[in-house]
Amino acid sequence: PQNTDSFDFANYHTLEEIYSFQDLLVAENPNFVSKIVIGQSYEGRPLNVLKFSTGGTNRPAIWIDTGIHSREWVTQASGLWFAKKIVTDYGTDPTLTAILSQLDIFLEIATNPDGYAFTHSSNRMWRKTRKPNPGSSCVGVDPNRNWDAGFGEPGASSSPCSETYRGPSANSESEVKSIVDFVKSHANIKAFISIHSYSQMLMYPYGYKTTPTNDAAELHKVAQKAVSDLTSLYGTKYTYGSIIDTIYQASGGSIDWTYNQGIKYSYTFELRDTGQYGFLLPATQIIPTAQETWLALMTIMDHTLKNPY
Amino acid sequence: KVTFEGHKVLRIVPKDEVQLSLIKDLEEMMEFELDFWRGLTTVSNPVDVRVPSHVLNSVKDYLETQNIEYSTMIEDLQILLDMEQKVMAGARVPQ
């Protein structure tokens, strides 16, 4: 496509197409959208983050990432749609315009680019990173068990051949370390939202322990509103709660780390599940999934704007 | 390119704590053969698992012996993957 208006959001795309889309969006909106390369993947691919900003310096910010598990294709596809939605709605949607008048939004669409490329070239079912594990023929680490929050505790595997292999140490994966470094250096991120698929859940910390966070009541209330707004569009039913109560014990997860860093509004989504396709959600479902998720994202972002801390 | 001919995705719904524990045992017994798409949570919550064709009979036998109910969510994963590729390729032509 020559411009992002003609980009086909209703289909899945290769990593190269995602990178091209990002560059086009930046070129079309030079005073609003910029691309930051926060690091490199193990195989040397850029870790691109789109920054949506209406000005200011180091404003408080909202982080959104999609595709840390590479086979969850509807997440990267939704990320593309979110990027375009932010550009089209800014200036027309009063809520989003108000958010962007005070906050920046950072969006990492291909959070695990090596894994994503591998799902296109070699193994559609690949979930992890692509770094070899010394002493093992099994490749890759689960990048959502590699964060420094309960790392190594129950809820992740120590076996390199497992789909939930935590890695040799916290932040061993450059895809994780790059975000950690970015979040620390920015030091003003107020909401961190990590998007997965599939099982229709909205969750908040913790995943590695049963102890509720100090903000559990507020996080629960916001999740309830976000899910209600999401459901209002197509009737998609979500469950919500802390990770450990809603899904299972999972250690080394992204939002547990961000919460412990002081980012109160830390949430993770599991997107739509038709009950028939799992990770192979048909492309016809991309736009409805993104649309309904956007409503929940807006709820969280609006709450972040109205409840500064 | 890895292919998945004959791989099925089974949806298992544990009806009590005993079944939950038996499915957990299955997961541990066959960790590197089975691919849990949707992991074990609580009673009544579905578990989706990709089962390669060479272990399909063993898994089904285990579930049936333990009276654990399951249904087939995806009959043949490769057929869906081929369809996905076809849709992607078709979408690229007009562009």
Side-chain angles (χ1 to χ4, degrees), chain A residues 47-121:
Chain A
L47 299 170
N48 294 340
V49 175
L50 291 178
K51 178 183 181 184
F52 300 86
S53 178
T54 58
T57 305
N58 202 45
R59 279 184 170 175
I62 293 161
W63 169 279
I64 302 168
D65 63 81
T66 52
I68 197 167
H69 287 149
S70 46
R71 65 186 177 181
E72 297 167 7
W73 278 13
V74 74
T75 68
Q76 295 93 344
S78 295
L80 291 164
W81 189 92
F82 298 151
K84 182 66 178 173
K85 182 72 173 166
I86 294 169
V87 167
T88 51
D89 279 11
Y90 174 67
T92 56
D93 179 286
T95 308
L96 182 68
T97 305
I99 291 165
L100 283 161
S101 71
Q102 293 186 46
L103 302 167
D104 293 339
I105 299 175
F106 292 99
L107 174 62
E108 187 174 8
I109 296 173
T111 307
N112 174 7
D114 295 349
Y116 189 66
F118 198 68
T119 62
H120 282 268
S121 67

